[in-house]
Amino acid sequence: MLDDLRGRRRPAIRTLAQIVRSDAFDEEPYRPPIRKNGEAEKRRLQSFMETNGKPASLTGNGGGAHAASAAPAGHESPEVLDEFEMVQGEIDERRQWLDDMIALGRGDAYRRQIQGEIAERVRRLEQIHRERTAKEQQQQQAAAQAALI
């Protein structure tokens, strides 16, 4: 075994000039990554996140009855209704997931975390509702002032 080690020669230290001559030091020129259209990519990712990764044609209306019970459709902008429906959908998803975990016998491990997330979403719904009612009151006051003039 010692003969095997003694018989082998360790490679000598080579200089940079020797490495370059042997073509072992060819560097690839830097090519920056292909840049995508920023705005188009933002819109694509936004729609992807809004639909939870599903194609937009499969998602449909989403909230359905929740949107009708939340507020009259004529008074709110689509963004406010969409946000309200989205948060309501997140709450429903978390409740369903927690029910599934309870059915599988794993509910105790996740109950506190999921209930905290649901409470956070409920607070967001309350905030949306407060913003919505404040905006409606401002519009009514503006309409009343315009009627007096």
Side-chain angles (χ1 to χ4, degrees):
M1 184 164 157
L2 287 175
D3 292 333
D4 291 337
L5 293 176
R6 288 183 197 158
R8 280 193 214 164
R9 287 187 37 166
R10 288 190 292 166
I13 297 175
R14 298 183 294 169
T15 64
L16 179 62
Q18 292 171 332
I19 294 172
V20 170
R21 277 194 310 256
S22 69
D23 290 332
F25 195 70
D26 291 336
E27 287 188 27
E28 295 278 332
Y30 175 72
R31 294 183 186 140
I34 298 171
R35 302 195 100 201
K36 297 182 178 180
N37 182 351
E39 290 301 317
E41 186 69 6
K42 284 180 188 177
R43 284 191 299 275
R44 185 187 71 79
L45 291 173
Q46 182 181 10
S47 67
F48 181 81
M49 295 298 288
E50 287 174 352
T51 59
N52 292 326
K54 299 175 188 166
S57 61
L58 296 178
T59 57
N61 196 11
H66 299 295
S69 64
H75 293 289
E76 296 302 320
S77 65
E79 300 118 20
V80 175
L81 288 177
D82 287 342
E83 184 179 9
F84 192 88
E85 290 174 4
M86 181 180 69
V87 174
Q88 183 66 42
E90 290 176 2
I91 291 171
D92 293 340
E93 286 175 10
R94 280 165 175 74
R95 284 185 180 149
Q96 180 62 41
W97 189 85
L98 184 58
D99 291 342
D100 292 345
M101 287 294 113
I102 290 171
L104 294 172
R106 304 279 316 252
D108 294 336
Y110 300 104
R111 181 173 283 130
R112 182 173 290 155
Q113 176 187 356
I114 298 302
Q115 286 178 343
E117 290 178 9
I118 289 172
E120 181 181 318
R121 287 351 184 248
V122 168
R123 285 191 294 274
R124 179 63 184 140
L125 285 178
E126 291 170 351
Q127 179 185 4
I128 293 169
H129 179 69
R130 282 192 302 271
E131 291 171 358
R132 182 181 296 167
T133 55
K135 187 175 179 180
E136 287 177 3
Q137 287 176 352
Q138 288 176 351
Q139 289 174 349
Q140 289 174 355
Q141 288 174 355
Q145 288 178 353
L148 292 175
I149 295 178

